Amino acid sequence: MHTNSKTKNIFSSLAGDIPSSIVVFLVALPLCLGVALASNAPLFSGIIAGVCGGIIVGMLSGSQLSVSGPAAGLTAIVASAIISLQSFEAFLVVVVLAGIIQVILGFAKAGIIGDYIPNSVIKGMLAAIGLILIINQVPQLLGDRSALPANDEESIATSGNIFVNFFKAFAHITPAALLIGGICLAFHFVWEKIVAGRKGFIRLIPAPLLVVFIGVGCNALFAGTGLFPALSESYLVNIPSAGSAKEFVSFFTTPDWSVLGNTQIWILAVTVALVASLESLLSLEAIDDMDPYQRASPTNRELKAQGVGNIVSGLIGGIPVTSVIVRSSANVNAGARSKTSTILHGTLLLGSVAFIPFVLNMIPKTALAAILIFTGYKLAKPALFKLYYKKGWDQFLPFVITIGAILATDLLKGVIVGIGVGLFFAFRSNFRKAVFVVKDDTKYLFRLRKDVSFLNKAIIKQNLEKVPDGAQVIIDAMRADYIDRDIVEVIEDFIIHAPLKNIDVQLETSGFIDHGFSYKILANDNKDGHLRRTYTKVITSSKRKPVQEPLPELVNLAPHSR
């Protein structure tokens, strides 16, 4: 009975997983090529990463619906790394090392790392990636010949600053490429409007696949009618075609281990590992929310799976992989039930590059650029800037400063700057809200709320010193969860010297939390005797009991001791 039920569940899962794997494959294929193109990497390496993300990560991950592969979020890092290293084989070492670091992070239980980065910084990072995608792909869309080398190896040497390439491209426009790219991009926006709010089969049709078909169709039309000169091979995808299994295996690239001693390799590896891990964890959280069964994916296991996927991808010539929200959401919407869909989509990618590369080589690069520009727009749409502006300066400034810092430097430095700005606003909020002061004539209320750190020392000290002679002061610490020792000492010092100014002080604390106040301070409001500090900073009392009684070292100063 149990066996029959289990078998039935497997077949029931396959009924949803097989169709969804085809949908995800059709979405992933152009994106794998496009991300490799944006990364200045050989296009074949994008397919390898997609295969590793589907099969390797799919088998090891604890997520049932997440799909991994080459991600737009890493294009800026990968592109600049390949240019600076001047060798794709050297960059493969970075990918392998990044995978090893991710595995270590998984065993170190660092899966919660994403929870400690402000959401405004994360959104700023994604928006910056979107802007970089747009700026980087406009030359491809315009058909700039200088940005379209004859082979993939040439791109490593000829690619320069993306801002320089962006402006130079407008002087080298290829009309046919611009027309095809413009039609593809316009269709992408129109298709999104068409499917918005729709249900049923139309939502399962992947827009990137339709864009690819349009690009191939337009170029074939130009070739057949002569309306425009058809795009040459340098404007098209160039996947190597194998005549045998042995030749196909020879297409895979191995890392150049001679660069291991290069410090830059290790810095890039840490950068790729951190950014890839963060993007994977964020995607994983989003996909778990979309899961109709609301299954929770183990984050530490995901880091290990992503790490192994990157190790394998780097060893055989692929660019880095992460969990990708676009493919994963397509997987959910297509009705996938388990990780079988992810694994099957990776198998289909491998089959396509092995058996039908001639079909892939018909795709214009300008069509892939249109897909990536639309992806960049989705990441950095104007509505996102408007939303964060409405949230207030404490959200908007970390958001835009993160974007500016990433565009001015690189992804890791920009995120670090964004985190710093976010921490500033967090400290500022705590600084302003931790202490509440109310004045009514000569009556003062000092209320300490939540966590009161040493950062609040100056404002508390200044306000206490402003209390005039003869005033009545209530210091309410009942709502404070934590009070720094510096703050405790400031309050105790004020109570000690309050009698000199005829100030009546009442300290109220919670009986459930020990904030560190001296028991003499808690036992006496300083009306019945004078407290003082010794050179050792221990509070003592100058009040003495009657002479006939022995003089104890510490004296109870409670009011009833008179």
Side-chain angles (χ1 to χ4, degrees):
M1 182 79 176
H2 177 72
T3 304
N4 292 336
S5 176
K6 188 174 181 180
T7 304
K8 183 179 179 180
N9 288 336
I10 292 174
F11 281 105
S12 175
S13 175
L14 286 176
D17 288 337
I18 292 176
S20 61
S21 69
I22 297 173
V23 172
V24 177
F25 159 70
L26 296 175
V27 172
L29 180 60
L31 289 177
C32 288
L33 296 171
V35 170
L37 177 68
S39 302
N40 288 333
L43 299 184
F44 189 66
S45 67
I47 299 294
I48 293 173
V51 172
C52 292
I55 298 176
I56 306 297
V57 179
M59 289 191 297
L60 299 177
S61 173
S63 174
Q64 296 298 315
L65 299 177
S66 175
V67 181
S68 296
L74 287 171
T75 53
I77 295 176
V78 175
S80 62
I82 294 175
I83 293 171
S84 62
L85 295 174
Q86 288 292 304
S87 168
F88 181 68
E89 289 76 12
F91 176 72
L92 294 180
V93 178
V94 172
V95 180
V96 175
L97 293 177
I100 295 172
I101 294 171
Q102 284 184 294
V103 173
I104 294 172
L105 289 175
F107 280 107
K109 301 187 183 302
I112 60 172
I113 188 174
D115 297 332
Y116 291 94
I117 298 180
N119 194 54
S120 57
V121 175
I122 293 171
K123 292 295 185 182
M125 178 189 76
L126 295 176
I129 290 168
L131 292 174
I132 290 172
L133 275 176
I134 293 171
I135 295 169
N136 199 28
Q137 292 305 304
V138 164
Q140 303 282 0
L141 186 80
L142 298 177
D144 179 11
R145 183 65 185 85
S146 64
L148 293 168
N151 55 68
D152 294 323
E153 287 71 23
E154 240 181 77
S155 65
I156 295 173
T158 58
S159 296
N161 184 282
I162 60 172
F163 296 100
V164 174
N165 292 340
F166 176 83
F167 291 108
K168 283 174 56 180
F170 289 92
H172 305 89
I173 296 175
T174 302
L178 175 59
L179 183 59
I180 293 174
I183 292 173
C184 290
L185 185 60
F187 173 81
H188 218 324
F189 279 97
V190 172
W191 183 257
E192 185 190 35
K193 297 291 185 182
I194 293 174
V195 300
R198 298 286 188 90
K199 295 182 179 180
F201 178 74
I202 192 171
R203 290 189 63 85
L204 300 180
I205 302 175
L209 181 67
L210 295 179
V211 168
V212 164
F213 282 154
I214 291 172
V216 172
C218 287
N219 195 44
L221 179 65
F222 294 163
T225 61
L227 292 174
F228 286 92
L231 297 177
S232 62
E233 289 185 3
S234 60
Y235 289 85
L236 305 176
V237 167
N238 182 20
I239 297 293
S241 180
S244 64
K246 185 176 180 180
E247 185 181 1
F248 178 70
V249 172
S250 69
F251 295 154
F252 293 88
T253 309
T254 56
D256 178 11
W257 299 107
S258 65
V259 299
L260 268 177
N262 187 347
T263 306
Q264 188 181 12
I265 292 290
W266 292 91
I267 295 174
L268 288 170
V270 172
T271 303
V272 171
L274 292 178
V275 176
S277 298
L278 180 60
E279 186 165 351
S280 294
L281 293 173
L282 294 175
S283 297
L284 195 67
E285 183 178 351
I287 295 305
D288 283 348
D289 288 339
M290 296 176 63
D291 187 353
Y293 298 101
Q294 292 299 295
R295 289 166 288 191
S297 304
T299 55
N300 295 318
R301 179 177 172 181
E302 184 67 20
L303 288 179
K304 297 173 189 175
Q306 295 291 337
V308 174
N310 275 317
I311 292 172
V312 176
S313 182
L315 288 174
I316 61 177
I319 55 179
V321 302
T322 73
S323 176
V324 189
I325 191 66
V326 175
R327 273 158 270 189
S328 300
S329 58
N331 195 35
V332 175
N333 293 330
R337 301 283 186 86
S338 72
K339 61 173 66 180
T340 304
S341 173
T342 301
I343 298 170
L344 287 175
H345 118 274
T347 306
L348 290 172
L349 282 174
L350 180 61
S352 68
V353 74
F355 300 111
I356 55 169
F358 59 91
V359 175
L360 304 182
N361 290 340
M362 297 170 63
I363 302 173
K365 290 180 180 178
T366 186
L368 299 179
I371 296 171
L372 291 168
I373 290 173
F374 182 81
T375 302
Y377 169 79
K378 295 286 285 183
L379 291 173
K381 60 174 64 175
L384 187 63
F385 288 80
K386 186 177 179 180
L387 173 65
Y388 271 88
Y389 179 75
K390 288 182 176 180
K391 286 185 176 183
W393 291 107
D394 60 331
Q395 294 291 310
F396 183 69
L397 283 180
F399 172 72
V400 296
I401 290 175
T402 299
I403 295 174
I406 290 174
L407 293 177
T409 56
D410 57 49
L411 206 61
L412 185 60
K413 291 178 183 175
V415 169
I416 292 173
V417 170
I419 292 173
V421 175
L423 288 174
F424 167 77
F425 279 101
F427 285 137
R428 179 174 175 268
S429 176
N430 180 68
F431 179 79
R432 297 177 64 182
K433 296 180 179 179
V435 182
F436 177 71
V437 182
V438 177
K439 174 188 175 184
D440 181 16
D441 195 18
T442 60
K443 297 179 181 179
Y444 288 78
L445 170 64
F446 288 80
R447 178 163 289 159
L448 309 183
R449 300 184 291 188
K450 209 174 179 183
D451 300 326
V452 188
S453 71
F454 68 93
L455 297 174
N456 305 106
K457 179 178 178 179
I459 191 170
I460 293 176
K461 196 170 183 178
Q462 290 169 9
N463 280 282
L464 286 174
E465 291 301 325
K466 290 178 182 178
V467 176
D469 295 0
Q472 292 179 307
V473 177
I474 297 176
I475 301 176
D476 180 8
M478 297 184 68
R479 293 170 175 80
D481 294 328
Y482 166 77
I483 303 178
D484 191 275
R485 282 298 308 169
D486 284 3
I487 305 300
V488 170
E489 188 168 310
V490 167
I491 294 173
E492 288 181 343
D493 288 346
F494 175 74
I495 294 174
I496 288 172
H497 75 250
L500 300 176
K501 299 171 67 175
N502 197 28
I503 297 174
D504 180 20
V505 184
Q506 180 181 344
L507 175 63
E508 297 181 357
T509 60
S510 171
F512 302 100
I513 302 175
D514 181 9
H515 292 125
F517 289 101
S518 167
Y519 80 93
K520 286 184 172 293
I521 292 290
L522 297 175
N524 193 323
D525 60 2
N526 208 23
K527 290 179 182 178
D528 303 324
H530 298 295
L531 299 176
R532 62 187 177 85
R533 287 193 187 275
T534 66
Y535 67 93
T536 58
K537 292 294 184 183
V538 176
I539 294 178
T540 59
S541 172
S542 62
K543 183 181 178 185
R544 302 177 186 273
K545 286 195 173 184
V547 179
Q548 65 269 21
E549 294 184 11
L551 198 64
E553 184 179 349
L554 296 176
V555 181
N556 184 356
L557 297 178
H560 65 269
S561 64
R562 294 189 180 192

